[in-house]
Amino acid sequence: MLITCIKLGQKGVNNNKNTVFLLLLDLSASFDTVDHSILLSRLSSRFGIKGTVLARLRSYLTSRKQFVNVNKGKSSQRLLERGVPQGSGLSPLLYLLYTSALADIIKRYNLEYHFYADGTMLYVAFRTDCLDRMVECKTTIEQCVRDGHQQAQIKSRQD
């Protein structure tokens, strides 16, 4: 990440821009926070997934249970109301589709980005007189995270 930040700073200087805006989204336990109804709604309305395929995805996500087994003791089963099953090749794709609204913001504000398993780094170099637009961008991202019912800790730093 340090190399990325150094390259970003150099790019900003080379393009006669004097501010770098870095927004780090730490989506802790991100796969565990996926709201099934929001995901299924996005799959249908945004990506056109309907009928049997949507019904199978609904079945894949809902009515899942978990328990803890330690030594010879086993807890009672609990219904999982959120999250995508981990360990499946389908889960990262479902998570990506779930967070697709963030891609719209990235395009709208012309941000550069790096996605990680549990976080996102968004950055842009700009002139100081455009600070209001960057503050608007941060506010839009915060709202996107809240609307997606994702639990996130949003940190920003301006250098």
Side-chain angles (χ1 to χ4, degrees):
M1 186 159 127
L2 178 60
I3 292 172
T4 302
C5 290
I6 291 170
K7 287 180 181 179
L8 172 64
Q10 289 172 339
K11 180 179 177 182
V13 169
N14 292 340
N15 291 331
N16 295 321
K17 299 185 178 175
N18 54 13
T19 303
V20 174
F21 184 80
L22 176 63
L23 182 65
L24 302 173
L25 299 176
D26 177 21
L27 303 172
S28 301
S30 53
F31 279 33
D32 296 331
T33 63
V34 172
D35 183 296
H36 297 156
S37 61
I38 292 173
L39 173 59
L40 292 167
S41 174
R42 284 187 185 154
L43 291 174
S44 176
S45 63
R46 191 176 178 112
F47 299 103
I49 298 172
K50 302 194 185 303
T52 304
V53 174
L54 187 63
R56 288 194 180 183
L57 287 169
R58 180 177 288 109
S59 173
Y60 175 72
L61 293 169
T62 57
S63 301
R64 289 176 125 14
K65 296 179 181 178
Q66 73 176 12
F67 65 91
V68 176
N69 191 3
V70 178
N71 294 326
K72 294 186 180 181
K74 181 178 170 184
S75 71
S76 59
Q77 292 186 356
R78 297 196 51 140
L79 183 65
L80 295 176
E81 298 174 357
R82 292 181 175 267
V84 291
Q86 295 182 34
S88 161
L90 185 57
S91 296
L93 176 60
L94 290 174
Y95 182 74
L96 180 64
L97 296 174
Y98 180 70
T99 60
S100 62
L102 189 54
D104 293 339
I105 296 170
I106 290 169
K107 289 177 192 173
R108 182 181 327 144
Y109 290 95
N110 199 27
L111 301 175
E112 296 189 46
Y113 60 92
H114 289 280
F115 286 116
Y116 302 96
D118 61 350
T120 301
M121 182 173 77
L122 306 171
Y123 52 90
V124 64
F126 63 98
R127 295 184 326 274
T128 304
D129 60 352
C130 297
L131 182 59
D132 289 343
R133 182 151 169 79
M134 291 302 103
V135 171
E136 174 189 323
C137 173
K138 177 185 173 284
T139 302
T140 304
I141 291 169
E142 289 173 332
Q143 187 62 48
C144 174
V145 170
R146 276 191 291 277
D147 289 349
H149 299 281
Q150 299 170 39
Q151 298 171 355
Q153 178 181 5
I154 298 176
K155 302 173 187 175
S156 66
R157 179 176 173 167
Q158 299 172 11
D159 292 318

